[in-house]
Amino acid sequence: HFEKMLYDNGQLLSLYAEAFALTRKPLYKKVMEETIAFVSREMTSQEGGFYSALDADSEGEEGKFYTWTYDEFQETLGVSAALIAEYFNVEKEGNWEKNQNILYRTIAEDVFAKKHGLDRTAFSDLLHNSKLKLLEKRKERIRPGLDDKILCSWNGLMLKGLVDAYAILQVTSILELALRNAHFIVDKLMRKQVDKASLYRSYKDHKAYLEGYLDDYAFVIEAFIALYQITYDESWLAHAEELCDYAVDNFYDEEEGLFYYTSGDSQLIARKKELFDNVIPSSNSAMAQNLYRLSLLLDRREYKDISERMMNNMLNILDTDPAYLSNWATLYMEMMQPSVEVAIVGEQYKKFSKTLLSHYMPNRIFVGTENESTLPMLRDRTAIDGKTTIYVCFDQACKMPVHTVEAALEQLAGNGMLS
């Protein structure tokens, strides 16, 4: 389908970041880079929010903006058209409807280059330039409709995707895009009061409206937790904690031990609970993960108690229907094995962190500071002998402090936490 959804792109960024960290396949890196370029170019507002979707149709035809006839392809690319057409499976009679072609690949760049006796780098450059020419030509077409409302929950998913991509790629522009969006959420979608903070659900025409639902809180909290762990700016953890407290106070059902989708102030007749993971994780499974991770970061036992109760409520269904509870299953696995807890203190804490975060380490919590912090995981931890010091712990049981990334990686590998 040709419709471009923000929530798909955000989640795919997280997925490809994890895949690249594990495999180091260049294709996964390219997918991340091109996805970020697309979202930045097509789905980002001037204020830093992300739009919801691009339509499938233009001029009344599905996919017209994105497909190519063989002749258009030839005219645009000239002498390189035949080679690039083979790479993208472009056919004279079309590979889709009405003699149109969808550009898709069935062979890796390096394999294709070798097949044609081409230098891999030269072919990669040719492919890149060909894409730029096609994009330039496409600008002449009538664009699909843009759904320009900015949804809080979907922005949270996209923000998390950008954070995950930055952790692996370490490209400054990715972090800048992420921070711009995070500040947009705080400035435009977050309502700060004296003793609490809450979220709006939607934003359009410079105005926020509708009270936030549970998925708004769940995905924004998740993104802020992740953002702290690449910036070490504790304000993001403070925002996450504020929003989590509000969600517990206004959405949590004490009797059943799960969260309603709407707050107690909602005007809806019935209040449902969203339990099953679908194209987006359920708001309950995301909140359970948030509570579990914040309990480790902030040493708040009540958060862990709620998270564990939620998990226990789902165990029977998880045993019989795991395909509908994939995010719950992820949390279950995290709870069943000790989390990696890495605290870094000293002048080079950000540099050390960047190297460590580039490794595949799915079940981990990172904290860091140059001097001191009130965070529980950093309390009484110092830069020993004035050297940046790394503390590697597993379920609060810590190894000997070390002063190099290599030594920390050895400790992590020794506990089977690196692939």
Side-chain angles (χ1 to χ4, degrees):
H1 193 56
F2 294 95
E3 190 175 19
K4 307 293 188 288
M5 306 302 298
L6 182 66
Y7 63 76
D8 285 329
N9 285 277
Q11 291 180 100
L12 284 169
L13 266 183
S14 294
L15 177 65
Y16 277 102
E18 193 167 12
F20 180 67
L22 179 62
T23 67
R24 297 293 160 176
K25 288 187 177 180
L27 173 62
Y28 300 157
K29 179 183 178 183
K30 178 170 282 191
V31 170
M32 281 191 285
E33 291 169 342
E34 293 186 349
T35 299
I36 293 167
F38 161 75
V39 170
S40 180
R41 182 181 69 242
E42 305 284 349
M43 302 187 76
T44 305
S45 76
Q46 290 185 346
E47 294 173 282
F50 297 122
Y51 299 130
S52 294
L54 280 167
D55 289 349
D57 300 352
S58 57
E59 301 181 75
E61 291 185 26
E62 183 183 359
K64 186 171 182 179
F65 185 72
Y66 301 104
T67 58
W68 300 81
T69 65
Y70 184 80
D71 289 342
E72 284 177 315
F73 205 80
Q74 292 279 333
E75 181 186 335
T76 304
L77 297 185
V79 293
S80 60
L83 186 68
I84 305 301
E86 181 183 342
Y87 181 77
F88 280 126
N89 294 280
V90 174
E91 302 171 6
K92 288 184 179 181
E93 65 276 15
N95 62 33
W96 194 55
E97 301 171 353
K98 300 178 182 178
N99 301 117
Q100 296 290 323
N101 286 280
I102 298 171
L103 308 189
Y104 69 96
R105 43 169 287 162
T106 55
I107 186 171
E109 274 185 39
D110 57 340
V111 176
F112 186 86
K114 185 176 181 181
K115 174 185 173 183
H116 288 273
L118 300 170
D119 176 76
R120 178 177 175 176
T121 302
F123 175 68
S124 183
D125 291 343
L126 175 63
L127 184 60
H128 176 71
N129 290 331
S130 297
K131 287 180 178 179
L132 292 178
K133 289 179 181 178
L134 291 166
L135 281 172
E136 194 64 29
K137 179 66 176 178
R138 201 180 67 178
K139 287 180 181 179
E140 300 173 8
R141 301 177 181 177
I142 295 175
R143 296 177 57 80
L146 173 68
D147 182 349
D148 63 353
K149 66 177 177 293
I150 297 171
L151 292 177
C152 189
S153 60
W154 295 4
N155 272 249
L157 289 171
M158 190 68 229
L159 175 57
K160 175 64 161 50
L162 289 169
V163 169
D164 291 342
Y166 174 76
I168 300 303
L169 300 180
Q170 301 292 329
V171 176
T172 302
S173 60
I174 300 175
L175 178 59
E176 290 172 349
L177 186 61
L179 286 170
R180 188 166 174 240
N181 179 250
H183 286 294
F184 171 85
I185 292 173
V186 171
D187 294 341
K188 305 298 184 181
L189 287 166
M190 193 167 165
R191 182 169 50 201
K192 298 275 288 182
Q193 296 169 298
V194 176
D195 58 347
K196 61 183 178 181
S198 59
L199 292 171
Y200 289 103
R201 178 157 185 81
S202 192
Y203 183 90
K204 186 173 179 177
D205 297 329
H206 308 291
K207 183 178 180 181
Y209 57 97
L210 296 180
E211 292 294 323
Y213 296 153
L214 184 63
D215 56 350
D216 298 306
Y217 289 86
F219 298 137
V220 168
I221 292 168
E222 181 182 29
F224 284 174
I225 293 171
L227 187 57
Y228 163 74
Q229 292 178 87
I230 61 167
T231 63
Y232 301 108
D233 180 344
E234 293 180 19
S235 69
W236 300 117
L237 270 188
H239 290 319
E241 185 177 22
E242 287 178 310
L243 294 173
C244 200
D245 285 339
Y246 185 89
V248 171
D249 290 342
N250 292 273
F251 293 80
Y252 186 58
D253 180 358
E254 291 276 0
E255 291 186 13
E256 191 176 6
L258 291 163
F259 285 79
Y260 289 109
Y261 186 65
T262 52
S263 73
D265 296 332
S266 171
Q267 301 300 310
L268 298 178
I269 296 171
R271 297 175 72 195
K272 68 174 183 176
K273 293 187 176 81
E274 190 181 64
L275 303 180
F276 293 97
D277 300 318
N278 204 297
V279 294
I280 292 177
S282 71
S283 48
N284 263 281
S285 68
M287 274 305 302
Q289 285 192 354
N290 291 336
L291 287 158
Y292 179 70
R293 289 166 188 162
L294 282 174
S295 76
L296 300 175
L297 282 161
L298 303 175
D299 194 25
R300 289 191 58 170
R301 179 68 213 190
E302 69 273 27
Y303 280 179
K304 192 172 185 179
D305 289 344
I306 295 173
S307 181
E308 289 177 343
R309 186 183 177 196
M310 294 173 74
M311 190 74 253
N312 287 332
N313 283 336
M314 301 302 295
L315 283 180
N316 287 338
I317 312 175
L318 182 59
D319 189 45
T320 57
D321 294 291
Y324 302 99
L325 299 164
S326 55
N327 207 45
W328 288 106
T330 298
L331 176 59
Y332 180 78
M333 292 300 294
E334 290 185 10
M335 288 179 165
M336 289 301 102
Q337 59 185 2
S339 299
V340 180
E341 298 154 7
V342 179
I344 310 172
V345 184
E347 187 177 346
Q348 298 187 75
Y349 76 106
K350 287 189 176 180
K351 179 181 177 181
F352 283 17
S353 169
K354 286 180 179 181
T355 305
L356 289 167
L357 285 171
S358 69
H359 291 266
Y360 179 69
M361 210 183 310
N363 184 16
R364 47 82 171 160
I365 295 291
F366 270 63
V367 295
T369 185
E370 183 172 352
N371 298 307
E372 58 184 29
S373 168
T374 58
L375 288 179
M377 286 177 60
L378 289 167
R379 197 174 296 142
D380 301 324
R381 287 180 173 158
T382 60
I384 299 172
D385 296 330
K387 300 177 183 177
T388 300
T389 305
I390 306 171
Y391 299 81
V392 176
C393 309
F394 299 90
D395 199 17
Q396 299 183 340
C398 298
K399 302 283 188 180
M400 289 291 293
V402 294
H403 296 295
T404 66
V405 170
E406 292 73 21
L409 290 171
E410 282 183 19
Q411 291 180 339
L412 291 163
N415 277 68
M417 302 311 292
L418 290 179
S419 298

